């Protein structure tokens, strides 16, 4: 019988998971955005296995997760004042800062780039794991979203297991921490220039960044999507995602609760707010695949803020799977 990798989190499991990480195993863990697939960010062979399990090209860099903003200096060589404001205001939280790297951030983490992505996640289990790992000499956990490359990010431990369970080894662990509360990946902010630049929109919005830094960043949605599109191909289910279309009978349908289900369509989610939409979106896309649906019609939320991140992911999902 296949091994069950999912583990409920007790203090014992967390210290065991930290030890396994230090020994080179992979530990998937919950964060407030999506689940991550973690490995010791300084262990080349562990990172090589991580890339294999994810099926990801090695020139795609990984985010290094740390327990607190004080640890930034271990990984980053220059930290502009505005990045300190952002870290102070939004960490722990759904934000990744791209900064010039120090030597400890090897090419196998950065994909050969001179920068490193850093994030302090706001999930109690992620933070406890990071602290336990640092206590035994760890300096950071590299963690991409715990899905196979190009597919939908997992927001539950069950989704992690169905994505990568068959690729894991006996010492690997999936920590369960309930459904992710944000539901879409962190905002990625390039902090290598005079002003911050959004590379991937998320729950930390342009307005929040401007208020925190007192800088005008003036990133329009189109440019944000163009840049982040180059970071990762797709966030796609098997079913074809069609935006702003009315579902035909037998097709999946995702829209705000205030919008009625078209006759014969299969309602996959009825979020009441934009925040709810982000939280339930990826599970709804997975549900479509579980039901074997061929097509999902989605009416994305309108407006600014988190709605921009939702439209970004949906637009990329609607471009279809990288492998097809
Ligand atoms: O919310 C999140 O960010 C989740 C959780 C687990 O923290 N992680 C996540 O990782 O979404 P991943 O690897 O699936 O997506 C991270 C993106 C990738 O597209 C990668 O190319 C980009 O961040 N990235 C990482 N380091 C970078 C760097 N130094 N420069 C530019 N882009 C970078
Ligand atoms: Mg990802």
């Amino acid at each position: 019988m296949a091994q069950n990798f999912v583990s409920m989190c007790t203090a014992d499991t967390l210290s065991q998971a930290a030890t396994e990480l230090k020994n080179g195993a992979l530990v998937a863990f919950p964060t407030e955005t999506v689940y991550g697939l973690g490995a010791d960010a300084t262990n080349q062979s562990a990172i090589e296995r991580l890339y294999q399990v994810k099926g990801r090209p090695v020139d795609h860099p990984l985010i290094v997760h740390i327990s607190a903003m004080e640890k930034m200096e271990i990984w980053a060589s220059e930290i502009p004042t505005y990045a300190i404001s952002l870290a102070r205001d939004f960490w722990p939280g759904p934000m990744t800062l791209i900064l010039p790297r120090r030597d400890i951030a090897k090419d196998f983490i950065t994909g050969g780039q001179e920068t490193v992505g850093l994030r302090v996640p706001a999930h109690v289990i992620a933070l406890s794991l990071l602290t336990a790992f640092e206590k035994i000499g760890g300096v950071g956990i590299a963690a991409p979203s715990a899905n196979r490359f190009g597919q939908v990010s997992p927001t539950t431990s069950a989704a992690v297991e169905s994505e990568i369970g068959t690729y894991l080894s006996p010492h690997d662990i999936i920590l369960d921490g309930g459904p992710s509360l944000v539901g879409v990946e962190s905002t990625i902010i390039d902090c290598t220039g005079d002003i911050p630049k959004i590379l991937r929109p998320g729950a930390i919005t342009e307005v929040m960044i401007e208020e925190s830094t007192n800088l005008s960043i003036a990133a329009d949605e189109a440019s944000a999507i163009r840049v982040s599109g180059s970071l990762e191909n797709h966030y796609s289910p098997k079913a074809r995602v069609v935006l702003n279309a009315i579902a035909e009978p037998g097709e999946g349908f995702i829209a705000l609760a205030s919008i009625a289900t078209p006759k014969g369509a299969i309602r996959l989610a009825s979020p009441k707010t934009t925040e709810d939409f982000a939280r339930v979106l990826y599970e709804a896309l997975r549900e479509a695949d579980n039901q074997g649906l061929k097509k999902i019609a989605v009416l994305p939320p309108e407006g600014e803020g988190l709605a921009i991140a939702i439209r970004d992911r949906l637009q990329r999902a609607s471009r279809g799977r990288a492998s097809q």
Side-chain angles (χ1 to χ4, degrees):
M1 207 186 101
Q3 183 180 346
N4 176 16
F5 290 97
V6 177
S7 169
M8 303 298 286
C9 289
T10 61
D12 278 356
T13 359
L14 284 168
S15 68
Q16 186 205 340
T19 305
E20 292 291 6
L21 272 177
K22 201 76 183 69
N23 292 339
L26 305 181
V27 175
F29 59 94
T31 86
E32 78 283 23
T33 57
V34 299
Y35 275 65
L37 177 61
D40 178 347
T42 62
N43 181 335
Q44 180 161 10
S45 58
I47 298 296
E48 281 167 2
R49 254 198 76 226
L50 190 158
Y51 274 94
Q52 277 165 17
V53 167
K54 224 185 126 63
R56 177 176 181 157
V58 292
D59 59 347
H60 281 242
L62 300 173
I63 297 172
V64 176
H65 295 68
I66 49 179
S67 67
M69 69 177 282
E70 300 83 74
K71 315 277 177 186
M72 281 166 102
E73 288 167 25
I74 297 176
W75 292 93
S77 58
E78 289 156 60
I79 306 173
T81 316
Y82 69 75
I84 297 192
S85 304
L86 291 169
R88 198 188 49 218
D89 288 348
F90 304 125
W91 275 348
M95 176 184 75
T96 297
L97 301 181
I98 306 295
L99 292 156
R101 69 169 166 178
R102 277 197 198 281
D103 287 347
I104 191 169
K106 302 281 188 242
D107 285 350
F108 59 79
I109 288 293
T110 72
Q113 303 194 51
E114 292 304 319
T115 54
V116 62
L118 297 177
R119 174 158 116 81
V120 181
H123 191 294
V124 68
I125 289 172
L127 286 172
S128 301
L129 178 68
L130 283 160
T131 313
F133 184 60
E134 286 167 6
K135 231 184 234 159
I136 55 172
V139 280
I141 301 178
S145 52
N147 51 286
R148 294 281 290 169
F149 183 64
Q151 302 187 22
V152 178
S153 297
T155 54
T156 63
S157 59
V160 175
E161 178 134 59
S162 80
E163 281 282 330
I164 57 164
T166 55
Y167 302 92
L168 295 179
S169 299
H171 285 276
D172 300 334
I173 300 172
I174 300 172
L175 295 173
D176 177 51
S180 297
L181 289 179
V182 174
V184 293
E185 303 80 357
S186 61
T187 306
I188 300 181
I189 308 172
D190 180 351
C191 298
T192 60
D194 292 341
I195 56 166
K197 192 165 135 207
I198 297 178
L199 300 183
R200 179 175 72 183
I204 302 302
T205 64
E206 188 181 313
V207 171
M208 292 161 78
I209 295 166
E210 291 191 331
E211 276 176 6
S212 165
T213 61
N214 281 321
L215 294 167
S216 166
I217 63 172
D220 61 62
E221 187 171 348
S223 72
I225 288 166
R226 218 168 24 245
V227 177
S228 59
S230 67
L231 292 177
E232 193 167 334
N233 287 354
H234 305 295
Y235 295 74
S236 302
K238 290 195 189 77
R240 193 154 66 85
V241 175
V242 184
L243 304 183
N244 297 308
I246 295 300
E248 303 289 329
E251 293 177 356
F253 185 63
I254 301 173
L256 285 166
S258 54
I259 301 165
T261 310
K263 201 157 179 280
I266 297 151
R267 188 82 186 212
L268 296 166
S270 301
K272 291 197 175 59
T273 60
T274 302
E275 284 70 26
D276 236 15
F277 206 119
R279 190 163 34 237
V280 301
L281 176 62
Y282 289 164
E283 274 296 298
L285 297 177
R286 277 177 195 284
E287 178 58 21
D289 284 350
N290 290 341
Q291 294 192 26
L293 304 184
K294 296 273 172 297
K295 193 171 146 190
I296 315 166
V298 188
L299 301 182
E302 293 175 355
E304 302 292 309
L306 186 59
I308 293 177
I310 296 171
R311 292 198 297 273
D312 168 63
R313 304 309 190 277
L314 280 169
Q315 262 149 22
R316 282 192 269 165
S318 72
R319 283 178 217 142
R321 284 201 162 184
S323 55
Q324 287 177 358

